[in-house]
Amino acid sequence: MADGVEAELKVAVDAAGASRLARLASLTGLDVTPKGDKRLVSTYFDTPDLALRAKGISLRLRRSGRSGEQTVKFSGSFSLGLAERPEFNVPYNGRVPDLSRLPDEAAVELTRLVDGRPLVPLFSMRVTRRRWDIATPGGDRVEMALDRGTATAGSRRADIREVEFELVSGDRRALFEVARPALAGVAFHFSTEAKSDLGYALLEGEIGAAEPTTAVDADLDDDMSVEMALQQVLRSCALQISANVAALRAADDPEGAHQLRVGLRRLRTALKVFASVMAPGAAEPLGAEARRLAAEVAHTRDMDVLIDELVAPLEGDDIAALIVLLEKRRKAARARLATVLAERSTGDFLIDLLAFTEARGWLSTDDIGQSVGLAAPVTPFAEEVIARLRRKVEKLGRDPEALSPDERHELRKRFKRLRYAYDFFEPLLPKSARRKLLPRVKAAQDVLGVLNDIHMAHLMLDDVHAAGPKAGAVERAIGYCLGWHSARAKAIWERRADDLTL
């Protein structure tokens, strides 16, 4: 692209997805023009003490056939696959960088950082890039590029299978308009780093498989508007969801299902918390899809809790027989979840979530007053949200002893929403709330969470019992588990019911 700020969406795909994309010929409603293949060899340079890396700058020399290019990319925004970075390119066939060839503003900054130290080659990338020029009905143009190849740093190597959607002209919403049909049916996850970050990680021996990821703080502060906070919170939710979809595709780690479920719940809470400043109905499709996907995750997560936390800690031959039966059910649940995560609907949801977040999908076309609410300072908004959610908890939790099982479940959901809202807005809240009230909310959530797990265990074990004849050992184990955990639930309630009042 020309010198300036690049805008691109980057996703990683597996080998099967890359092969499928390589055969792309058309997309419904879009004008697709294949542009052929290029073989690219890129070498990245830095000072021996990685001065450029410390500032988020990458410097590379790239060759394609007889042509060469020198590129520098400065630090910019990189939010879950969507990158915007100042970039400068100049034709150059040399073997070592020549900073004087760059535009003055880039040359001056790099020369200052390098400060006379040598620029040394650190890692290289060899890829075959297949490209398409894609035009939308609105006249926007996007270049889609599929890179397949290898990154090398010394003796370390890593495969590269990445798709980039780069905005050539028009509105950046076109990136999502193109990516959604292009990636239909392809298992992918959003890239969270640039190619240079992959090279540096390889250099340092830090490359590994996708792992379960906990929630990332939204990093709110008093200077933000409500809209800025909304976008930051949604980015935090999207990052957790996308990362754990990738982790579950890579392995069966129970923590992946747990964190994906948490991410989906946080998203649904965020959409409700900020509903008052969104266009009516704007977030409903996202909320419905998050709820559907959460229901699919729930069965796997409930089986993990049942086996690992509620049945396995009990001992005996009968328990071992029950675990064998439950493991078969867990295996089936995991297979079902893997199928769901590979479906087009999951990929569409991830793209729609990112598009909603980055393209301000909450905006109304006819509500002039909406801008006032979005531009308002976030702290008063956060305090009002917390106060409202707290009142809902207090109203239902005045007399915990009088609650029915359904009311306890509703109280648990209210505590959970309050907890997630606290997590979103914690930096904005008074110290007294962070010091006193937040620990009580967490304690109440823990109590109700354990009781809910025991309740789910009863339902699932009853289902196992009702499924048909079982060996005597399994039937005895089911009865023992139900009795043991019924007594445990009663003891927890009697001992910690007071924790449910704020």
Side-chain angles (χ1 to χ4, degrees):
M1 65 172 286
D3 293 347
V5 178
E6 65 172 351
E8 62 184 13
L9 176 65
K10 299 160 67 76
V11 304
V13 298
D14 59 15
S19 296
R20 177 172 176 172
L21 288 168
R23 299 190 295 272
L24 179 69
S26 63
L27 293 171
T28 302
L30 300 172
D31 184 9
V32 179
T33 304
K35 296 177 67 177
D37 292 356
K38 281 187 176 182
R39 298 185 186 277
L40 307 175
V41 180
S42 301
T43 304
Y44 289 76
F45 292 79
D46 205 333
T47 63
D49 59 349
L50 307 186
L52 301 185
R53 167 69 164 169
K55 294 295 184 180
I57 298 172
S58 68
L59 174 64
R60 75 172 184 231
L61 298 181
R62 170 175 285 174
R63 295 193 64 83
S64 177
R66 295 182 179 180
S67 301
E69 181 181 69
Q70 179 174 251
T71 299
V72 59
K73 296 185 181 183
F74 287 88
S75 178
S77 65
F78 203 118
S79 175
L80 195 60
L82 192 65
E84 291 188 340
R85 304 175 69 188
E87 174 183 324
F88 300 90
N89 301 293
V90 292
Y92 179 56
N93 281 314
R95 294 183 176 274
V96 295
D98 182 353
L99 303 185
S100 68
R101 292 175 174 268
L102 294 168
D104 288 346
E105 57 185 303
V108 169
E109 176 66 10
L110 261 66
T111 301
R112 183 185 65 81
L113 286 173
V114 172
D115 193 25
R117 287 166 292 187
L119 287 167
V120 296
L122 298 178
F123 48 87
S124 64
M125 299 187 183
R126 295 175 177 269
V127 302
T128 297
R129 170 168 291 182
R130 180 161 294 181
R131 300 175 299 151
W132 298 260
D133 188 82
I134 303 175
T136 70
D140 306 307
R141 287 183 55 228
V142 173
E143 182 181 272
M144 174 179 162
L146 169 65
D147 286 348
R148 291 177 289 176
T150 305
T152 304
S155 61
R156 300 189 181 106
R157 296 164 61 88
D159 290 334
I160 296 173
R161 289 187 294 268
E162 188 173 71
V163 187
E164 297 180 0
F165 300 89
E166 184 170 347
L167 186 64
V168 178
S169 63
D171 192 311
R172 73 174 183 170
R173 284 176 291 188
L175 294 173
F176 308 107
E177 187 178 351
V178 170
R180 200 177 194 271
L183 296 173
V186 174
F188 70 89
H189 64 272
F190 296 117
S191 300
T192 56
E193 296 178 320
K195 279 193 177 70
S196 58
D197 294 316
L198 168 64
Y200 280 109
L202 193 62
L203 185 70
E204 297 162 4
E206 296 179 352
I207 294 292
E211 295 182 350
T213 301
T214 57
V216 176
D217 290 339
D219 290 331
L220 307 187
D221 62 57
D222 286 331
D223 294 330
M224 288 183 173
S225 66
V226 172
E227 184 173 36
M228 292 169 67
L230 165 59
Q231 192 169 55
Q232 286 293 92
V233 168
L234 289 180
R235 284 171 175 166
S236 170
C237 296
L239 177 60
Q240 186 177 16
I241 292 168
S242 175
N244 287 295
V245 167
L248 282 171
R249 285 172 175 161
D252 283 334
D253 189 335
E255 186 65 12
H258 174 53
Q259 291 301 329
L260 177 54
R261 193 180 193 183
V262 170
L264 292 165
R265 285 172 169 170
R266 292 177 72 241
L267 173 61
R268 292 171 62 194
T269 297
L271 296 177
K272 291 177 181 177
V273 161
F274 288 97
S276 63
V277 295
M278 294 184 184
E284 286 182 5
L286 276 182
E289 191 61 18
R291 185 164 53 252
R292 182 198 69 83
L293 186 55
E296 297 286 359
V297 178
H299 191 51
T300 295
R301 176 57 186 164
D302 289 340
M303 288 299 303
D304 289 336
V305 172
L306 175 63
I307 295 172
D308 299 336
E309 300 179 22
L310 300 175
V311 176
L314 305 179
E315 298 180 351
D317 293 339
D318 292 348
I319 294 296
L322 175 58
I323 289 176
V324 170
L325 178 62
L326 293 178
E327 285 289 4
K328 293 180 180 178
R329 292 193 164 211
R330 171 153 67 178
K331 184 177 180 180
R334 286 177 171 173
R336 165 62 186 168
L337 180 57
T339 298
V340 169
L341 295 181
E343 289 174 348
R344 173 175 180 171
S345 58
T346 299
D348 287 349
F349 167 66
L350 293 175
I351 293 174
D352 291 346
L353 174 55
L354 188 59
F356 186 86
T357 301
E358 300 299 337
R360 303 170 71 199
W362 50 83
L363 292 181
S364 171
T365 58
D366 54 14
D367 183 1
I368 299 176
Q370 183 192 30
S371 59
V372 176
L374 290 171
V378 68
T379 298
F381 177 87
E383 291 173 345
E384 194 282 326
V385 166
I386 295 297
R388 173 167 47 84
L389 293 176
R390 182 178 178 179
R391 287 194 297 270
K392 288 187 175 183
V393 167
E394 290 173 337
K395 181 179 180 180
L396 186 58
R398 288 195 186 104
D399 185 7
E401 296 288 350
L403 296 179
S404 68
D406 287 344
E407 289 171 329
R408 290 186 195 177
H409 181 61
E410 175 59 28
L411 181 60
R412 174 175 172 268
K413 291 194 295 184
R414 293 187 184 186
F415 265 113
K416 192 176 292 292
R417 284 194 287 269
L418 179 58
R419 165 69 184 279
Y420 291 150
Y422 267 128
D423 287 346
F424 297 151
F425 298 127
E426 184 175 358
L428 311 175
L429 301 178
K431 290 183 179 179
S432 58
R434 298 199 298 265
R435 186 176 65 253
K436 296 179 181 180
L437 198 55
L438 184 55
R440 292 191 64 82
V441 172
K442 291 180 178 179
Q445 188 182 358
D446 289 343
V447 172
L448 290 168
V450 171
L451 293 174
N452 184 71
D453 289 343
I454 293 173
H455 175 65
M456 291 303 300
H458 275 70
L459 294 179
M460 297 174 78
L461 289 173
D462 284 344
D463 180 63
V464 171
H465 174 73
K470 305 290 184 303
V474 170
E475 292 291 352
R476 290 192 298 271
I478 291 174
Y480 177 66
C481 287
L482 292 175
W484 197 93
H485 286 299
S486 293
R488 180 181 172 223
K490 181 179 180 181
I492 291 172
W493 185 257
E494 291 175 350
R495 186 175 70 253
R496 300 192 61 182
D498 289 345
D499 288 340
L500 305 184
T501 55
L502 296 180

